[in-house]
Amino acid sequence: MPWRETRDPYAILVSEVMLQQTTVAAVRGYYDRFLAQFPTIADLANAKEDEVLSAWAGLGYYRRARNLQAAACAVMQRHAGVFPADFEEILMLPGVGRYTAGAVASSAFGQSRPIVEANSARVLARLFAVKESLKGGAGLKALWQYSAELLPDRNARDHNYALMELGSLVCTPKNPACTECPVLTYCEAHRLDLVAQIPRVEPKPEKIARAFAGAIVRHAENVLIRRIPAGEWHAGLYEFPKVEIEPWASESKGQDDLKNHISQVAGPVSKLERLSDIRFTVTVHSVTLRVFDMKVSRRRSPAPGYFWLPVSEIEKLPLGSPQKKVLNLLKSPPEWFEVEP
DNA sequence: TACTCGTGGCA
DNA sequence: TTGCCAAGAGT
């Protein structure tokens, strides 16, 4: 992993933020590119937000990207551009919590600071037979306690990496390789035959079905786009216009709602093609996006928040994963249906 | 404390 | 197809 080959606290911070709730495989494709585009903390601090979001597009949890840039700005302002080595100062940076601060302090600066994240949490919970939920409260508090107690006075970097590696490769969520575990003889969960019950899994909230109808709206060589405002999903990114419809709405109802919306926002719809459905999830929502291809006959200046953009420039915008899929639909040539005025 | 915020791979 | 899961933090 490239982020283990450096001691640059900035590069390590970038990797740690990218890895929050994200798999190593997903981060691999972003880390090198991000650092090539923003090699130093000053480069990131001085970049435009859209550039940062574009570099992040597809990784998810986009607040991380904005917080990371805010952290870079904080280092420039509060620490004159020099990454702070003090744990408390690292912890004060935007988007940096207890785990990330500990990871940067131990792996960049070699300080003895404990970490608790998904892998080490599972290892510690089994090692000490923590039966409570690990999501918060007494269970989580115990994990931090154990992590601190196990921490050596030196080589904390290697120790913390090893803890994570053990959880990642041996002490896995399902079917852990206990026979290959180097600390099997210390494992309370194994001794009590509770490995399968620890860590405790909480019931997940039920998924909520939601549906949208969205359109690629064309006029000449331009396409209608909007920047997603704060408070909505994928805030800060860009998207094709859409309306929310009832998940059980009929095909024609959703189409009419969307057509009305487009005609208000951009101009009268003259031609239309039904493309396909894109399904994705946002936290507890499972979403269906019905995609249409539309043409407007007259082009008004669009409603606030919307703008026309040449088709060729869409890929430069920061797009979330669903919108990238919509963009893929655009590549097949349309088969238009005339629309009644 | 509980909820929000994305995505892709895999069983 | 569906659910689970991942190097969490902010509110």
Side-chain angles (χ1 to χ4, degrees), chain A residues 8-11 13-14 35 38-47 68-69 71-76 80-84 93:
Chain A
D8 175 7
Y10 164 63
L13 177 65
V14 169
L35 283 180
F38 311 107
T40 70
I41 208 153
D43 294 320
L44 181 59
N46 295 328
L68 185 58
Q69 188 180 27
C73 293
V75 171
M76 297 305 290
V82 180
F83 201 104
L93 297 174

Side-chain angles (χ1 to χ4, degrees), chain A residues 45-122:
Chain A
N46 295 328
K48 293 176 183 172
E49 188 185 78
D50 270 17
E51 294 175 344
V52 179
L53 286 172
S54 288
W56 205 272
L59 254 190
Y61 287 142
Y62 297 96
R63 188 171 54 179
R64 293 183 297 177
R66 285 190 289 272
N67 277 337
L68 185 58
Q69 188 180 27
C73 293
V75 171
M76 297 305 290
Q77 290 164 11
R78 300 208 282 258
H79 307 286
V82 180
F83 201 104
D86 180 68
F87 177 81
E88 299 298 333
E89 294 291 345
I90 300 172
L91 189 57
M92 301 246 308
L93 297 174
V96 176
R98 199 172 174 184
Y99 162 74
T100 303
V104 171
S106 65
S107 47
F109 298 109
Q111 299 170 16
S112 289
R113 292 285 177 178
I115 57 162
V116 172
E117 42 67 65
N119 294 305
S120 48
R122 193 170 51 251

Side-chain angles (χ1 to χ4, degrees), chain A residues 211-222:
Chain A
F212 297 83
I216 300 164
V217 182
R218 310 181 194 239
H219 185 275
E221 292 303 308
N222 294 300

Side-chain angles (χ1 to χ4, degrees), chain A residues 204-244:
Chain A
K204 295 274 165 92
E206 201 169 327
K207 287 222 172 121
I208 302 163
R210 294 178 69 172
F212 297 83
I216 300 164
V217 182
R218 310 181 194 239
H219 185 275
E221 292 303 308
N222 294 300
V223 174
L224 191 66
I225 295 287
R226 81 162 190 150
R227 184 177 164 118
I228 304 171
E232 297 185 28
W233 292 338
H234 301 90
L237 305 186
Y238 293 77
E239 70 172 3
F240 298 100
K242 63 171 171 41
V243 293
E244 181 157 17

Side-chain angles (χ1 to χ4, degrees), chain A residues 91-165:
Chain A
L91 189 57
M92 301 246 308
L93 297 174
V96 176
R98 199 172 174 184
Y99 162 74
T100 303
V104 171
S106 65
S107 47
F109 298 109
Q111 299 170 16
S112 289
R113 292 285 177 178
I115 57 162
V116 172
E117 42 67 65
N119 294 305
S120 48
R122 193 170 51 251
V123 171
L124 295 166
R126 284 177 175 155
L127 210 45
F128 297 98
V130 177
K131 294 169 187 167
E132 299 92 341
S133 165
L134 307 184
K135 298 298 180 185
L140 189 60
K141 189 178 177 185
L143 294 185
W144 280 100
Q145 187 72 28
Y146 290 130
S147 186
E149 286 174 12
L150 286 184
L151 200 64
D153 292 331
R154 50 180 196 167
N155 297 331
R157 170 188 163 102
D158 291 342
H159 172 86
N160 284 340
Y161 280 157
L163 209 54
M164 290 190 282
E165 207 70 4

